[in-house]
Amino acid sequence: MNKHHDTTGPTDDQQQITLRGPAELADALPYMMGYHPTDSIVMVALHGDRGRFGGRLRLGIPRSPREWPPVAEQLAECLIEGCERRGSRPDGIVVFLCQDPAEGETGRRVMERLRPLAQRLRTACGTLDVPVYEALCISDGRFWSYCCPDTRCCPPEGNPLALPGTSVMAAAAAYAGIQVRGSLRDMEGRLRPWRYEKAAAAEQLQALDATGAALVPRILDQDGRDAVREETVRLAEQLAKRLADGPRIMEPAAADAQDDALIGHEEAAAVILGLQDRETRDRVAEWMEGEEAAPALRLWRALSRRCVGAYVEHSAAPLTLAGWVAWSTGDEPAARVALGLALEVDPEYVFARLLHQACNEGLDPESLRRCLRQERDARAAAEARAGSGAPAAPGGRSGSGARAGSGAGSRSRARAASGARTAGRRTRPRPVRLPAAGKGGSGPRPGADGPHGAVARARGRVARRSGGRGSRSGR
């Protein structure tokens, strides 16, 4: 289960439409989320007498029923407190439980199996004095209401969902330019590592092993570490340009297959391992806007799929970069999916936690973009001074990769904002790897105005304005 939930807030410029009854609520769900949530709990806050949609939250359904009581309490508390931080306590909540039937199972059986979870969620919200107006189960193309006892409108066999594109919500979404991009499972499939049965997965695993053995001796040496950083950035630039120059394919599966074919196993391994260094990752995070953004996003998705076998935790870096670029370019649903997966493989990955919380709290990514532009400009100025023989600026290093400021200060602010533990990793057998990004990695840190500090300060400003405490991470 992904312990890190997705939350979104309302926007002021959305077209207002009226939804009447469970059928229209069920049909509206994918348009609210931007995709069809699968295997998910979705909770939506309602405000005012007319039930205006507010904050919303998504979490994967826990597999074990033993987890349902604490998860229900945490979700209810998180959604209600999040709405309060944004300025308005919800007057009610709508709950959706979305899960496809297992083999040999019917949609009705799914509904009955999840009924205790629905009741736990209703009780948890009621304990906080916020009623659940409606709780729906969506499965196998049908929906059921846990709240309506009238079999005339909510029969035991359920009601069929509206045909795609035939509802009032579909018409309003089409008018507003809102797209539903398949299911959550489809979106995650573009980011998850190749399966073992894929022939190329074994070849990629061998390349990762061989590349790691070659890079580790170099990374242990300071000069070699700097050289690896520069090589990683240059290779990533070459791969992004190669992807940008390829034919443009709109169909997601075909586009991903083309990107996979354009990247060699050794090339992918070198960049994946290089991104485990935090400074390298922050350097390539600068490719977040303009013409650089689209090929960079394709590259990070492709590299996430290459983190096969025992290297799955290495995908936290490219997944976080994919989430960052998606958020920076305005694709919040894709950003939440990528950042959620990054936290699924490494719950303590600090940069992903900060970005995930900032995205969920509706912060403007421009503050982080501005920070990264400043870092790029400072590095270019340092390189120019080094080329001209001028002395380096105080607190910086001449040559490429120059950074100013205190890394310790940046790390302390990140810890204070996220509540995360940044020292150490979970102890278990793993392949040889470079020092991990976001975990006290090697080499000089970006300056005090680096990405971690920028996100932490932005979240702090929101918390101070709302008079509430910051969002708790890991929830």
Side-chain angles (χ1 to χ4, degrees):
M1 180 184 72
N2 180 6
K3 297 286 187 181
H4 296 264
H5 53 263
D6 303 339
T7 60
T8 62
T11 59
D12 296 330
D13 57 351
Q14 291 178 340
Q15 179 185 6
Q16 293 187 0
I17 62 173
T18 301
L19 302 178
R20 299 177 177 86
E24 292 187 357
L25 280 173
D27 180 70
L29 179 59
Y31 300 100
M32 287 191 286
M33 303 300 294
Y35 52 83
H36 293 275
T38 49
D39 196 32
S40 298
I41 304 168
V42 179
M43 301 174 66
V44 182
L46 303 178
H47 299 267
D49 295 337
R50 303 187 63 181
R52 174 179 54 84
F53 285 156
R56 60 213 68 168
L57 173 153
R58 189 208 68 85
L59 180 73
I61 296 177
R63 293 184 178 180
S64 173
R66 290 193 298 270
E67 296 185 67
W68 292 355
V71 165
E73 294 172 2
Q74 291 173 4
L75 292 182
E77 181 182 354
C78 183
L79 179 60
I80 294 169
E81 288 186 355
C83 290
E84 289 177 335
R85 283 196 301 272
R86 298 185 186 100
S88 177
R89 182 178 178 86
D91 296 290
I93 290 174
V94 175
V95 173
F96 301 86
L97 299 181
C98 308
Q99 191 171 74
D100 293 333
E103 185 176 356
E105 191 177 32
T106 64
R108 182 175 179 180
R109 175 58 187 151
V110 172
M111 181 272 295
E112 293 293 350
R113 177 166 50 80
L114 296 179
R115 185 182 292 276
L117 174 58
Q119 185 58 39
R120 291 285 187 181
L121 291 165
R122 295 174 67 184
T123 301
C125 294
T127 300
L128 298 175
D129 297 325
V130 180
V132 171
Y133 291 158
E134 183 61 90
L136 299 177
C137 177
I138 300 176
S139 181
D140 198 24
R142 307 183 75 85
F143 70 90
W144 290 261
S145 172
Y146 291 114
C147 298
C148 179
D150 192 342
T151 58
R152 293 172 297 178
C153 60
C154 297
E157 65 275 13
N159 287 302
L161 294 171
L163 294 175
T166 61
S167 67
V168 62
M169 188 67 181
Y175 178 78
I178 299 174
Q179 296 182 347
V180 178
R181 289 160 298 175
S183 69
L184 174 62
R185 187 180 297 110
D186 295 334
M187 296 178 70
E188 291 181 341
R190 304 189 70 185
L191 298 164
R192 290 193 184 277
W194 290 338
R195 296 183 178 274
Y196 285 110
E197 56 265 24
K198 187 179 178 70
E203 299 173 2
Q204 184 62 66
L205 183 59
Q206 293 176 354
L208 285 163
D209 286 339
T211 303
L215 283 180
V216 166
R218 298 180 60 198
I219 207 66
L220 295 177
D221 175 73
Q222 179 62 51
D223 293 335
R225 185 183 309 148
D226 292 341
V228 169
R229 289 189 182 120
E230 295 304 318
E231 292 168 6
T232 301
V233 173
R234 284 198 301 270
L235 179 55
E237 288 176 335
Q238 295 170 7
L239 295 179
K241 185 178 185 304
R242 190 184 304 167
L243 297 181
D245 292 340
R248 182 175 177 81
I249 300 176
M250 301 304 296
E251 201 279 318
D256 292 345
Q258 173 185 266
D259 292 347
D260 291 340
L262 290 173
I263 300 175
H265 296 309
E266 291 76 15
E267 294 173 323
V271 179
I272 288 169
L273 293 169
L275 289 177
Q276 305 311 304
D277 174 73
R278 183 163 41 187
E279 184 173 349
T280 305
R281 182 208 62 200
D282 290 350
R283 281 273 301 272
V284 298
E286 296 168 0
W287 309 340
M288 75 293 189
E289 57 189 344
E291 296 181 352
E292 294 178 320
L297 179 57
R298 292 167 58 187
L299 176 60
W300 308 141
R301 280 199 301 247
L303 294 180
S304 300
R305 296 191 293 270
R306 302 289 189 113
C307 296
V308 297
Y311 290 87
V312 63
E313 285 191 6
H314 290 63
S315 65
L319 283 169
T320 301
L321 290 169
W324 158 235
V325 176
W327 183 39
S328 176
T329 55
D331 191 349
E332 292 188 4
R336 293 189 185 92
V337 171
L339 294 170
L341 287 179
L343 293 170
E344 181 179 302
V345 300
D346 190 347
E348 297 178 6
Y349 198 77
V350 177
F351 195 29
R353 294 178 72 158
L354 291 174
L355 287 174
H356 196 252
Q357 292 164 2
C359 180
N360 286 341
E361 292 175 9
L363 302 186
D364 187 351
E366 176 57 24
S367 59
L368 181 51
R369 285 195 296 257
R370 187 183 305 115
C371 164
L372 291 172
R373 293 189 203 106
Q374 292 171 350
E375 292 234 334
R376 179 161 51 187
D377 293 344
R379 186 174 61 256
E383 292 172 349
R385 286 194 298 269
S388 63
R397 294 190 295 121
S398 62
S400 61
R403 291 289 190 274
S406 168
S410 177
R411 288 193 294 271
S412 65
R413 282 193 299 275
R415 286 195 296 268
S418 67
R421 291 180 291 109
T422 58
R425 302 180 66 93
R426 297 180 298 284
T427 57
R428 66 179 182 182
R430 67 180 62 224
V432 175
R433 60 185 297 179
L434 299 180
K439 298 290 188 64
S442 62
R445 283 287 300 120
D449 289 328
H452 294 75
V455 179
R457 284 194 300 276
R459 294 186 60 245
R461 286 194 295 271
V462 170
R464 287 193 296 273
R465 284 198 299 269
S466 65
R469 51 198 171 99
S471 172
R472 286 171 291 179
S473 58
R475 291 285 300 276

